[in-house]
Amino acid sequence: FHSCAGSAGWRLFECAETASTNDLARSLHPWNAVRAARQTTGRGRFGRQFVSDVGGLWISAVLPAAERATRWTGFSLMVGCH
């Protein structure tokens, strides 16, 4: 598990394998992200499980949604389309 500073204040934590990037991201502050080469128990919205083998992009980002949660409505869908 190592980290690198990104642009605009983002910090990216990278690991070769983890159970879930969501589990690791839960302990981070806003503007941090976790990327894994492989997840062993990856899950998406509504707890749906999916295969997360090497070669995919498995990432969870922590955003500051406390003040205006509606600001991020549809964000994951927009990211997935780009």
Side-chain angles (χ1 to χ4, degrees), residues 4-82:
C4 59
S7 61
W10 278 96
R11 178 165 292 276
L12 175 65
F13 294 87
E14 296 186 88
C15 57
E17 182 177 295
T18 185
S20 167
T21 56
N22 279 337
D23 291 343
L24 295 176
R26 228 179 241 122
S27 65
L28 300 175
H29 295 289
W31 306 116
N32 285 278
V34 178
R35 189 192 79 76
R38 180 176 182 268
Q39 295 182 113
T40 56
T41 57
R43 62 187 184 281
R45 294 183 59 176
F46 309 111
R48 295 183 181 128
Q49 293 184 346
F50 55 85
V51 175
S52 349
D53 290 332
V54 174
L57 177 61
W58 318 118
I59 191 166
S60 294
V62 183
L63 302 171
E67 294 176 16
R68 291 179 40 211
T70 57
R71 173 182 177 187
W72 302 107
T73 301
F75 179 77
S76 60
L77 180 60
M78 288 186 288
V79 169
C81 290
H82 290 326

